[in-house]
Amino acid sequence: MKTFTALGLATCLAGAVAFAPAAHAAEFTMKISHSAAPGDPRDQGAQKVAELLNNSKTCDIKVQVFPSDQLGGSETIWEQVQLGGVEVMIAPAANLVPYEPLMGILDLPYFWPASPEQLLEVYQSEAMDDLLKLPEAHGFIVPGVWHTGYKNWTSNKALHTPEDFKGLIVRVMPSKILHKQNELLGMQNVSMNFGDTYSALQSGTIGGQDNPIPLIYNMKFHEVQKYITMTNHGILDQVFAISKIFWDKLPEACHTEIRDAINEGGKVTYAANEKLITEDLEKIKASGTTIVELGPEEIAAIKNVLEPAVRDYYVELVGPKGQELVDGFEAEFKKMGIN
């Protein structure tokens, strides 16, 4: 009787397993890669996109976020996105410049509105729509840009004047515009993956880098740098770049939901970044790193070295379309009353 019962139970269990409904496998899988640490505003935005799409009732998609360059560094990941091996990369626009040099306009120093609210308004303009169509020819769909703050320089000395920058060895992204910017200030450029920056600063291989305050704090750059100089010289805003190979496989309903999710993710990123700026500055000060606040005349002296020289270099580099983009954005600034 015991043998029969055990056998019968085993048979029933086997039958239950055999007839149990299989776990649903989503029709589409979307991996989102970025280089920031978990919890960074960029990561919070990416997680919001994943949350919205994973709960979609009309787009059968599974989304997973991979922070901290888990899928590969910035020098290799873009080719994977282009070929469809990775579906999404969230990264500074400078990373798209090797594919589409016209995207370098987002790297221009002291060109964009100093007010984040006005900057976000510009991002809704026809001029921005015109710019974001360009990467498609190179295999990238870019539905939007996320604001993640204005860049400031970290170093082991205070940077009050243009002369103070001379000779500083700094990490730079793969954008000729950024290379030119740094060269005009007399700095030496070193290209490297973002994830290698901390160790390079710690070892003294490089002596500085520029990023927004929340990213400086999250990456702990203040631990290995004595000063942060508040130059606010440029934006480090993120393109949400989707593989065109992947995008073209999706139904229109997914396109709409992804665009809506990116918009919501951008709002989360912006709110998180704005909240963290003040908090992180206080934490950085408490750690012993000195925050250098520049006066209007000091900012003007640095700006005069860079602007309009870098803008003119951009137009020279990319040609008439570059001038058309510059004119388009400057027309938007004028409509908004920005000088």
Side-chain angles (χ1 to χ4, degrees), residues 30-32 41-56 61-65 88 90 146 240 242 257-269:
M30 189 167 89
K31 299 182 291 296
I32 300 178
R42 192 188 319 179
D43 185 61
Q44 292 185 44
Q47 297 292 349
K48 184 64 176 180
V49 172
E51 173 195 334
L52 292 171
L53 293 177
N54 283 333
N55 290 303
S56 171
I61 190 167
K62 173 66 175 176
V63 182
Q64 189 173 359
V65 179
V88 175
I90 305 173
W146 290 356
F240 196 102
I242 305 172
E257 292 228 20
I258 290 172
R259 290 183 187 277
D260 290 344
I262 292 169
N263 186 49
E264 292 303 312
K267 293 177 183 177
V268 168
T269 298

Side-chain angles (χ1 to χ4, degrees), residues 106-156:
L106 289 168
D107 295 325
L108 292 180
Y110 296 114
F111 176 76
W112 299 96
S115 158
E117 291 82 8
Q118 290 179 323
L119 179 63
L120 292 180
E121 188 176 339
V122 170
Y123 282 179
Q124 301 303 314
S125 67
E126 290 184 11
M128 182 57 74
D129 288 342
D130 188 21
L131 177 66
L132 296 186
K133 289 174 184 175
L134 300 174
E136 184 171 354
H138 308 282
F140 306 101
I141 302 295
V142 182
V145 179
W146 290 356
H147 178 58
T148 46
Y150 297 86
K151 295 184 288 185
N152 299 286
W153 283 103
T154 72
S155 60
N156 286 322

Side-chain angles (χ1 to χ4, degrees), residues 9-263:
L9 179 60
T11 303
C12 289
L13 288 172
V17 172
F19 289 102
H24 173 72
E27 183 178 1
F28 303 105
T29 300
M30 189 167 89
K31 299 182 291 296
I32 300 178
S33 176
H34 67 79
S35 61
D40 179 87
R42 192 188 319 179
D43 185 61
Q44 292 185 44
Q47 297 292 349
K48 184 64 176 180
V49 172
E51 173 195 334
L52 292 171
L53 293 177
N54 283 333
N55 290 303
S56 171
K57 298 294 189 289
T58 58
C59 183
D60 190 12
I61 190 167
K62 173 66 175 176
V63 182
Q64 189 173 359
V65 179
F66 294 87
S68 303
D69 281 338
Q70 292 175 13
L71 299 181
S74 57
E75 292 184 357
T76 59
I77 196 71
W78 287 99
E79 184 177 354
Q80 295 184 57
V81 176
Q82 194 178 40
L83 298 175
V86 173
E87 289 76 23
V88 175
M89 182 64 177
I90 305 173
N95 286 270
L96 269 181
V97 170
Y99 296 92
E100 177 47 79
L102 287 159
M103 293 296 291
I105 194 171
L106 289 168
D107 295 325
L108 292 180
Y110 296 114
F111 176 76
W112 299 96
S115 158
E117 291 82 8
Q118 290 179 323
L119 179 63
L120 292 180
E121 188 176 339
V122 170
Y123 282 179
Q124 301 303 314
S125 67
E126 290 184 11
M128 182 57 74
D129 288 342
D130 188 21
L131 177 66
L132 296 186
K133 289 174 184 175
L134 300 174
E136 184 171 354
H138 308 282
F140 306 101
I141 302 295
V142 182
V145 179
W146 290 356
H147 178 58
T148 46
Y150 297 86
K151 295 184 288 185
N152 299 286
W153 283 103
T154 72
S155 60
N156 286 322
K157 64 176 180 177
L159 305 172
H160 286 278
T161 69
E163 289 72 26
D164 292 334
F165 288 86
K166 291 181 179 178
L168 193 64
I169 301 173
V170 296
R171 182 255 176 180
V172 67
M173 290 182 287
S175 166
K176 290 184 178 180
I177 302 305
L178 295 178
H179 279 255
K180 185 67 172 180
Q181 165 196 276
N182 296 349
E183 288 166 5
L184 285 169
L185 287 168
M187 293 187 280
Q188 298 179 46
N189 293 310
V190 176
S191 295
M192 63 175 63
N193 280 329
F194 184 59
D196 298 328
T197 306
Y198 180 95
S199 59
L201 291 168
Q202 186 178 43
S203 68
T205 303
I206 60 174
Q209 62 80 49
D210 59 336
N211 268 299
I213 293 300
L215 197 53
I216 290 170
Y217 181 77
N218 242 352
M219 298 302 294
K220 304 184 187 304
F221 294 152
H222 63 287
E223 294 181 350
V224 288
Q225 298 272 263
K226 295 178 181 178
Y227 295 91
I228 298 176
T229 303
M230 302 297 288
T231 48
N232 289 308
H233 55 279
I235 54 174
L236 187 83
D237 288 357
Q238 313 294 312
V239 290
F240 196 102
I242 305 172
S243 168
K244 188 175 187 301
I245 291 174
F246 170 70
W247 183 260
D248 289 345
K249 295 176 182 176
L250 299 172
E252 189 58 38
C254 284
H255 288 177
T256 300
E257 292 228 20
I258 290 172
R259 290 183 187 277
D260 290 344
I262 292 169
N263 186 49

